Every structure is written in C-alpha cells, then in structure tokens.
Amino acid sequence: RGSVRGTVSGSFGGDAVPQSIALEVEKVGLSDDDADFRRANLLYRAQADVAGGTFGFDLNASALRQKPNSPVPRTGPVLDPSLPVDANFNPSDAKLDENRLQLTGRFSKSFGNSEWNTTLSYAHTNLDTLRGFLAPDYAEDPPPPSNAEGFGQQRHVTDVYFDTHVVSTFKDGATLTYGLDYMFGRARLENQIYEYTVGLDGSNRPALSSMEPLDEPAGSDRRNFLGLYVQSDSHLSDNVDLLAGIRVNHTNETMDGEMDVPVGDPVPAQDHRHESRFSGSLGLSWYVWKDGADSLTLYGDVRDTFKPAALDFGPEAEANILDPETASSIEIGAKGTALQGRLAWDVSSFFMYFDNLVVPKAKGGGLPGLENAGKEVFKGAEFELHYAITDDLDFYGHYAHHDARFGDFVQDFDGVPTQLDGKRLELSPRQLGGVGLVYAPERGWQASAVYNRVGSRFLNKRNTALAPAYGTFDASIGYRFERCELRLSGRNLGDRRDPVAESELGEGQYYRLPARTIELGLSCQR
C-alpha cells in the first residue's frame, strides 16, 4: 500500500562530550485508500561532565500528518454489514496533524553513599484536526437532511515536568529514595462543529473547510500536580526483600469553557478542583530456592494509587473537571527457572477495586465526551513461559484470564437510567493467549511465527452485543549478515478485521483490526 520507513542513527563527539542523533521517517498506507499517515521524528542527545556531576540534554522533535480512517457503526450485536469494510466517512479535507517539541535536561551527582538526580522537561504540542463520523440516524428511511457530523479542533498543549530525588545506599545493600516531582500542564482549544452528508459507501465526501460551522466552542485548562515521595528497598534476610513507598499527592486545576442552559446558547463557565491524597505500595519477594541456574521466587504486593482524570478534549468544551481516578489492588505470584535455566516462567493473580474510571460517553446528538464510570472491579490471573529449545530456537507462551466488571454505575440510555452493576466493561476480553517460535542465530537465516488469540468481548456497556473470539498470525523470515540483516515480515496474515477499539467520535462506532501487512526491511550497522 505504498508504505516506506527509514531510520538512521549515529554517535559523535568523543569521550568528552558524547552525542548521538537519530532520525526516523515513515509513510504508511492503510487498507482504506483514502487514509494514510506520514511521520518524522528527530532525537538528539548530549552528555558532559559539569560541576562535579553529569549533565545530559535531549531534544526530541516530531511531526505527524495523517488522513484518518473511519470507525464503523454497530447495528444490534454486529458492525453494520451494509457498509463497506474500509469505507471512509470523513470529509475530503480530514486531517490529524501534530507538531511536538520536547526539551529535557538531566543532572546527576554522587556524594558519599548517595546520588542526587534532577530532571527538567518542557514540551509543547500543536494539534490541528478535522474529522467526521456518521450520525446516529444515518440509516433512517427517508434519509435525514444530513447523515454525518464534523468536528474540527486546534489544540495547544504545554507540559513542564520537574523531578529531583536522592538515592542513598547502605552497607547491607538497602536503598532509600526520597524526593519530589511537579507537573504543570496548560491546554487551549478552539473547536468547530459541522453537519454534512456523505454516501454510505464513502463517496461524495465534502470539504468542511469551505463550510460555515454550526458552533465554535472554545476552552482552556490549567493543572498543577505536585508529589512528595519516599521509598525504601530493604533486605530482611538473604532471601527476603521488602519494598515500601508512600507518596503525598496534591492537584490544583482550573478549567474554562461553556455550560449548557435549558433555553438559549451555552454560557461561559469555569470549574475548579483541588485535592490532596496519599498513595503508596508495599511489596515482598521471597527467594525460596536456588540450585545453580534454577530458582523459585514468591512475591506479592498491595497498592493504592491516585491520578487526576484525563482531560475531555471533546467538541463541546464543557467546563467540567472529572473526578480523579483511584484504585486499590493486591497481587500475588510466583516465578522461577528450571532445566538449568532454559525454562523461565511467571504466574500471578490480581484483584483491583477502581473508583471513577474515565470512559467514553456519547453526548446529545452523538457528540463524544468522557465521564467517570463510578466503581469497577478487576480480577484475573496471568501466566508467561519461555523455553530455550536450543541456543538459537526459543518458544514463548502466555495466557491471561481477566474479569473486568462495572460496580455501582448508572448511565442514561435513550432516556432510561440503567444500573450497570455486574456488567463487563466493553471491549474487555476474558481470555487472552498466544504462542510463538523464534529462530535467531547470530548469523544466517532468521525466522519467527507467532499466534495470538483474543477472546469474545462485549461491544457495549449493557452487554447485549457480543463480538466473537478471533486469532491473528504473524511471521517473519530473514537473513543476518555480519553487519546487515534482511527481513520479510507479515502481520495479521489471516487478514482479520474484527472490532478492536471503540471510537472516540460517534456513538456505538468501532475501529477494526488493521488489515494484513507485509513489510520488507534492511538494517545495517557500521
């Protein structure tokens, strides 16, 4: 599909001021002929001895130009079979364009049995988007005056991150880490909302830039997030390790935007939230047995976490700060090696109680948004296996059983308040698994084959639309020379197009698994 990718990297500067630079560019065509993306990323790094310590500097610049594809609406329990698999309902001038610049400085210095580390980072992102999606009434008979809704946004985001901490190491090998971090974020957005008509086969897509928007909401957000933390890693005995940490979180946020009123246009509004909360973790590992390269370790941990909610960058620019996400969890497990280290395995189980998970919400008229989902319960078990059949041939396997369910969460569906307690979270499969073989000698022929299985999952919160399980097969073959490697690889060779992600735009719409991809690559090293 006309895809090409290239990367070049190198180092220079000598021992006094070592430096490196890497450039990656790519153009990727998608199975939808009207969708693709082009991306470029430049990373420069330098390091020098300064003031008795080490100073490092990073510059990372990236640019993305994307013509987006479209999600597919669901009709009943399945994606609408009357629509072509890769139909594009975006306007003809649709775009997802992003420019991002990040500057990072790091300084570390040792004194006595301690090391002081400090990081300061600044990032600025400009995002210019114009997208469209089918309206909820697109299939009505007679057809509605317009069957699609458009959404344009210019977003400007500034992030500043600062962290400084000290790591002290004691004679028994125990460590104590203490410090603080701070994040400042500012976002400004200007939106445009449109209505238009498009053919249900993706034909006759209009250009929205030549149309007058129906509304132009705008908003801004400013957030300060401060944390003080301390963590200790202690050896209770030769084979027992205790890791404990506690953190004080404080967040202060102000959002400006709009508020809907019963009669008339939305009015300017502001929301403010400040919150302080503790979080922490406690973990224990027990080195039960060791015989040469073989071993057995038992481990467990409890955690309590806090995170301010993600910003709602939806079209309506509502001044509504969501509740922070909090969670309490427990995990226990065992891991080890056997057969003189050729077999490695890890098995664990977990239980998590979650409050205020941020989930997508469709607002009036199908416009997207975010909301807090009340309470949720996540539990499950996971298993991983690696077996070195020979020095060059490895087998990998993994399996996970997940049960993710809503707790107390009431949501309005077609004007009817519905309690979702006990329903599974949408697009959350209970079964996940996979196996793979990798043949990778130091020189000569290379090959790999990987099969992954994703279990059935519900497409909606009410659990009335069950998507069947599916499997994907990836494979590669290549040849490794002394300095170069030539490789032919394929992903999703069975060309499965199952729904895998809920759309951030439109109600009850889903993105499909990317189509079969074949790639030929050559990499060389001096």
mmCIF file of all heavy atoms in Angstrom, residues 42-61:
data_model
loop_
_atom_site.group_PDB
_atom_site.id
_atom_site.type_symbol
_atom_site.label_atom_id
_atom_site.label_comp_id
_atom_site.label_asym_id
_atom_site.label_seq_id
_atom_site.Cartn_x
_atom_site.Cartn_y
_atom_site.Cartn_z
ATOM 1 N N LEU A 42 12.922 13.290 15.192
ATOM 2 C CA LEU A 42 14.342 13.580 15.348
ATOM 3 C C LEU A 42 14.679 13.598 16.831
ATOM 4 O O LEU A 42 14.000 14.269 17.622
ATOM 5 C CB LEU A 42 14.683 14.940 14.738
ATOM 6 C CG LEU A 42 16.115 15.440 14.954
ATOM 7 C CD1 LEU A 42 17.102 14.578 14.172
ATOM 8 C CD2 LEU A 42 16.246 16.910 14.558
ATOM 9 N N LEU A 43 15.715 12.837 17.223
ATOM 10 C CA LEU A 43 16.161 12.794 18.610
ATOM 11 C C LEU A 43 17.663 13.080 18.665
ATOM 12 O O LEU A 43 18.459 12.387 18.042
ATOM 13 C CB LEU A 43 15.875 11.419 19.224
ATOM 14 C CG LEU A 43 16.406 11.200 20.652
ATOM 15 C CD1 LEU A 43 15.766 12.172 21.632
ATOM 16 C CD2 LEU A 43 16.161 9.757 21.090
ATOM 17 N N TYR A 44 18.015 14.117 19.445
ATOM 18 C CA TYR A 44 19.418 14.480 19.661
ATOM 19 C C TYR A 44 19.719 14.358 21.147
ATOM 20 O O TYR A 44 18.928 14.817 21.997
ATOM 21 C CB TYR A 44 19.687 15.897 19.180
ATOM 22 C CG TYR A 44 21.019 16.455 19.664
ATOM 23 C CD1 TYR A 44 22.202 16.105 19.025
ATOM 24 C CD2 TYR A 44 21.075 17.311 20.760
ATOM 25 C CE1 TYR A 44 23.425 16.605 19.469
ATOM 26 C CE2 TYR A 44 22.288 17.813 21.211
ATOM 27 C CZ TYR A 44 23.460 17.450 20.573
ATOM 28 O OH TYR A 44 24.658 17.931 21.019
ATOM 29 N N ARG A 45 20.866 13.779 21.495
ATOM 30 C CA ARG A 45 21.265 13.623 22.888
ATOM 31 C C ARG A 45 22.728 14.014 23.049
ATOM 32 O O ARG A 45 23.556 13.735 22.174
ATOM 33 C CB ARG A 45 21.070 12.178 23.359
ATOM 34 C CG ARG A 45 19.627 11.836 23.642
ATOM 35 C CD ARG A 45 19.469 10.441 24.184
ATOM 36 N NE ARG A 45 18.142 10.236 24.736
ATOM 37 C CZ ARG A 45 17.687 9.076 25.173
ATOM 38 N NH1 ARG A 45 18.462 7.998 25.136
ATOM 39 N NH2 ARG A 45 16.460 8.980 25.660
ATOM 40 N N ALA A 46 23.021 14.643 24.210
ATOM 41 C CA ALA A 46 24.392 15.023 24.536
ATOM 42 C C ALA A 46 24.609 14.856 26.030
ATOM 43 O O ALA A 46 23.657 14.929 26.823
ATOM 44 C CB ALA A 46 24.672 16.463 24.116
ATOM 45 N N GLN A 47 25.865 14.657 26.411
ATOM 46 C CA GLN A 47 26.197 14.450 27.818
ATOM 47 C C GLN A 47 27.582 15.025 28.073
ATOM 48 O O GLN A 47 28.463 14.959 27.216
ATOM 49 C CB GLN A 47 26.169 12.962 28.158
ATOM 50 C CG GLN A 47 26.453 12.629 29.614
ATOM 51 C CD GLN A 47 26.279 11.155 29.874
ATOM 52 O OE1 GLN A 47 25.192 10.598 29.739
ATOM 53 N NE2 GLN A 47 27.377 10.503 30.249
ATOM 54 N N ALA A 48 27.737 15.625 29.281
ATOM 55 C CA ALA A 48 29.037 16.213 29.623
ATOM 56 C C ALA A 48 29.190 16.248 31.131
ATOM 57 O O ALA A 48 28.202 16.259 31.878
ATOM 58 C CB ALA A 48 29.153 17.625 29.046
ATOM 59 N N ASP A 49 30.438 16.246 31.573
ATOM 60 C CA ASP A 49 30.733 16.389 33.000
ATOM 61 C C ASP A 49 30.681 17.868 33.365
ATOM 62 O O ASP A 49 31.404 18.697 32.780
ATOM 63 C CB ASP A 49 32.115 15.819 33.309
ATOM 64 C CG ASP A 49 32.172 14.306 33.116
ATOM 65 O OD1 ASP A 49 31.111 13.666 33.248
ATOM 66 O OD2 ASP A 49 33.263 13.788 32.829
ATOM 67 N N VAL A 50 29.845 18.201 34.355
ATOM 68 C CA VAL A 50 29.628 19.591 34.751
ATOM 69 C C VAL A 50 29.531 19.654 36.271
ATOM 70 O O VAL A 50 28.789 18.868 36.879
ATOM 71 C CB VAL A 50 28.343 20.171 34.118
ATOM 72 C CG1 VAL A 50 28.109 21.600 34.607
ATOM 73 C CG2 VAL A 50 28.429 20.132 32.607
ATOM 74 N N ALA A 51 30.276 20.571 36.896
ATOM 75 C CA ALA A 51 30.173 20.865 38.326
ATOM 76 C C ALA A 51 30.285 19.599 39.180
ATOM 77 O O ALA A 51 29.542 19.420 40.148
ATOM 78 C CB ALA A 51 28.873 21.591 38.629
ATOM 79 N N GLY A 52 31.192 18.720 38.826
ATOM 80 C CA GLY A 52 31.401 17.512 39.600
ATOM 81 C C GLY A 52 30.353 16.438 39.396
ATOM 82 O O GLY A 52 30.352 15.415 40.084
ATOM 83 N N GLY A 53 29.457 16.645 38.434
ATOM 84 C CA GLY A 53 28.418 15.660 38.134
ATOM 85 C C GLY A 53 28.303 15.461 36.641
ATOM 86 O O GLY A 53 29.188 15.852 35.859
ATOM 87 N N THR A 54 27.206 14.860 36.219
ATOM 88 C CA THR A 54 26.966 14.583 34.803
ATOM 89 C C THR A 54 25.687 15.282 34.357
ATOM 90 O O THR A 54 24.631 15.121 34.985
ATOM 91 C CB THR A 54 26.832 13.072 34.558
ATOM 92 O OG1 THR A 54 28.027 12.411 34.997
ATOM 93 C CG2 THR A 54 26.617 12.787 33.082
ATOM 94 N N PHE A 55 25.801 16.073 33.292
ATOM 95 C CA PHE A 55 24.646 16.768 32.733
ATOM 96 C C PHE A 55 24.298 16.149 31.384
ATOM 97 O O PHE A 55 25.177 15.918 30.548
ATOM 98 C CB PHE A 55 24.948 18.255 32.554
ATOM 99 C CG PHE A 55 23.841 19.009 31.857
ATOM 100 C CD1 PHE A 55 22.681 19.350 32.536
ATOM 101 C CD2 PHE A 55 23.956 19.349 30.520
ATOM 102 C CE1 PHE A 55 21.660 20.028 31.893
ATOM 103 C CE2 PHE A 55 22.936 20.028 29.860
ATOM 104 C CZ PHE A 55 21.782 20.378 30.556
ATOM 105 N N GLY A 56 23.015 15.889 31.178
ATOM 106 C CA GLY A 56 22.547 15.353 29.910
ATOM 107 C C GLY A 56 21.453 16.232 29.332
ATOM 108 O O GLY A 56 20.691 16.875 30.055
ATOM 109 N N PHE A 57 21.392 16.265 28.004
ATOM 110 C CA PHE A 57 20.411 17.098 27.314
ATOM 111 C C PHE A 57 19.804 16.309 26.166
ATOM 112 O O PHE A 57 20.526 15.652 25.404
ATOM 113 C CB PHE A 57 21.074 18.370 26.785
ATOM 114 C CG PHE A 57 20.170 19.207 25.917
ATOM 115 C CD1 PHE A 57 19.176 19.995 26.481
ATOM 116 C CD2 PHE A 57 20.304 19.192 24.538
ATOM 117 C CE1 PHE A 57 18.333 20.762 25.683
ATOM 118 C CE2 PHE A 57 19.473 19.949 23.728
ATOM 119 C CZ PHE A 57 18.484 20.744 24.303
ATOM 120 N N ASP A 58 18.475 16.367 26.035
ATOM 121 C CA ASP A 58 17.756 15.726 24.931
ATOM 122 C C ASP A 58 16.923 16.762 24.201
ATOM 123 O O ASP A 58 16.308 17.634 24.824
ATOM 124 C CB ASP A 58 16.805 14.635 25.426
ATOM 125 C CG ASP A 58 17.519 13.447 26.033
ATOM 126 O OD1 ASP A 58 18.764 13.417 25.984
ATOM 127 O OD2 ASP A 58 16.826 12.561 26.563
ATOM 128 N N LEU A 59 16.885 16.661 22.886
ATOM 129 C CA LEU A 59 15.946 17.408 22.057
ATOM 130 C C LEU A 59 15.197 16.396 21.205
ATOM 131 O O LEU A 59 15.812 15.615 20.481
ATOM 132 C CB LEU A 59 16.676 18.421 21.172
ATOM 133 C CG LEU A 59 15.802 19.316 20.287
ATOM 134 C CD1 LEU A 59 16.473 20.653 20.031
ATOM 135 C CD2 LEU A 59 15.474 18.655 18.925
ATOM 136 N N ASN A 60 13.878 16.407 21.312
ATOM 137 C CA ASN A 60 13.042 15.475 20.553
ATOM 138 C C ASN A 60 11.983 16.272 19.799
ATOM 139 O O ASN A 60 11.192 16.993 20.414
ATOM 140 C CB ASN A 60 12.390 14.466 21.491
ATOM 141 C CG ASN A 60 11.688 13.332 20.751
ATOM 142 O OD1 ASN A 60 10.678 12.837 21.178
ATOM 143 N ND2 ASN A 60 12.227 12.928 19.612
ATOM 144 N N ALA A 61 11.988 16.191 18.478
ATOM 145 C CA ALA A 61 11.023 16.904 17.642
ATOM 146 C C ALA A 61 10.325 15.904 16.734
ATOM 147 O O ALA A 61 10.964 15.020 16.162
ATOM 148 C CB ALA A 61 11.718 17.978 16.804
#
